[in-house]
């Protein structure tokens, strides 16, 4: 049995929900509404993740100073970090655990929009929702995919600018590369059917707007300057 097959009961529930919406609105719009509904339900997890990330950013200079001070004493470093997080009532994992909790929901939605089913037989602007871009023919179908990728690139650019502003330490390994990962959804969308691309556009746009809202008062935290040893 495939690991993804374990998601089939949840995928069936998601299929029924989208089908119910598709009975009253176009299927492409039903995908958008369903995705928004799921992201809205997951918003409390995103808020928890944002709180954890803000706590980590606030404590980053102190953590960097402790790492410098105990660079050759791993035991003391671990004890100092544990004490710091205890005093601040924070956790180094607070920012990532809520995001991990969201992974099953995203897996269900991805499987729904990439596994053959009756929803993918519907069309948007004459293009079947189950169609891949490499099977598209005619200017009309290529235009639909082109507009989708252009919209994803626009959302990716907004995310790219936000990611560059949010970098606290430009000298950190990989810091210069990370913002460019914002454009990865465009490449990924080229590998999945149109329905999954619509889902990607909706959930990515939500993520960018949600992150901008939750971090609207945040500022990059610069690391403490290393003081010369005396």
């Amino acid at each position: 049995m495939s690991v993804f097959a374990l998601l089939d009961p949840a995928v069936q529930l998601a299929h029924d929900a989208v089908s119910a919406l598709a009975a009253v609105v176009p299927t492409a719009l039903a995908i958008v509404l369903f995705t928004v509904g799921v992201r809205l339900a997951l918003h409390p997890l995103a808020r928890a993740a944002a709180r954890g990330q803000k706590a980590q950013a606030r404590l980053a200079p102190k953590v960097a100073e402790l790492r410098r001070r105990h660079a050759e004493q791993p035991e003391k470093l671990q004890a100092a970090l544990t004490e710091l997080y205890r005093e601040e009532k924070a956790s180094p994992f607070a920012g990532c655990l809520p995001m991990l909790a969201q992974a099953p929901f995203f897996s269900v939605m991805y499987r729904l929009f990439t596994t053959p089913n009756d929803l993918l037989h519907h069309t948007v602007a004459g293009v079947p929702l189950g169609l891949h871009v490499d099977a598209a023919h005619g200017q009309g179908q290529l235009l639909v995919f082109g507009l989708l990728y252009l919209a994803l690139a626009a959302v990716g650019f907004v995310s790219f600018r936000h990611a560059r502003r949010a970098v606290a330490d430009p000298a950190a390994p990989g810091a210069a590369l990370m913002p460019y990962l914002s454009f990865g959804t465009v490449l990924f969308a080229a590998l999945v059917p149109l329905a999954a691309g619509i889902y990607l556009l909706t959930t990515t746009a939500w993520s960018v707007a949600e992150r901008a809202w939750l971090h609207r008062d945040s500022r990059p935290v610069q690391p403490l300057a290393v003081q010369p040893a005396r």
Side-chain angles (χ1 to χ4, degrees), residues 11-26:
V11 172
Q12 184 60 48
L13 290 175
H15 173 275
D16 294 344
V18 176
S19 296
L21 288 171
V24 294
V25 299

Side-chain angles (χ1 to χ4, degrees), residues 142-154 186 189-190 192-202:
L142 291 174
L143 177 61
V144 170
F145 280 101
L147 291 175
L148 173 65
Y149 300 152
L150 184 62
L152 279 168
V186 182
V192 295
L194 179 60
I198 294 173
Y199 157 68
L200 281 174
L201 176 59
T202 306

Side-chain angles (χ1 to χ4, degrees), residues 7-101:
L7 299 174
D8 284 349
V11 172
Q12 184 60 48
L13 290 175
H15 173 275
D16 294 344
V18 176
S19 296
L21 288 171
V24 294
V25 299
T27 306
L29 180 57
I31 292 174
V32 172
L33 294 176
F34 175 71
T35 304
V36 169
V38 171
R39 293 305 306 267
L40 188 61
L42 295 175
H43 181 67
L45 293 178
R47 293 181 67 88
R51 287 194 298 270
Q53 291 163 0
K54 289 177 182 179
Q56 290 179 5
R58 176 171 51 84
L59 296 177
K62 295 181 180 180
V63 171
E65 174 61 19
L66 289 175
R67 292 186 185 281
R68 183 195 68 81
R69 186 183 306 168
H70 303 296
E72 298 180 359
Q73 299 172 302
E75 296 82 4
K76 287 188 176 182
L77 172 61
Q78 187 58 46
L81 289 175
T82 300
E83 179 64 18
L84 172 65
Y85 285 115
R86 185 188 65 79
E87 291 179 352
E88 298 290 341
K89 298 181 179 180
S91 168
F93 307 109
C96 61
L97 289 180
M99 299 304 295
L100 292 176

Side-chain angles (χ1 to χ4, degrees), residues 11-12 14-16 18-19 27 31 108-122 129-130 193 195:
V11 172
Q12 184 60 48
H15 173 275
D16 294 344
V18 176
S19 296
T27 306
I31 292 174
V108 166
M109 297 167 73
Y110 171 77
R111 185 167 173 81
L112 171 63
F113 300 137
T114 57
T115 302
N117 60 73
D118 59 300
L119 292 174
L120 301 183
H121 298 157
H122 294 242
L129 290 171

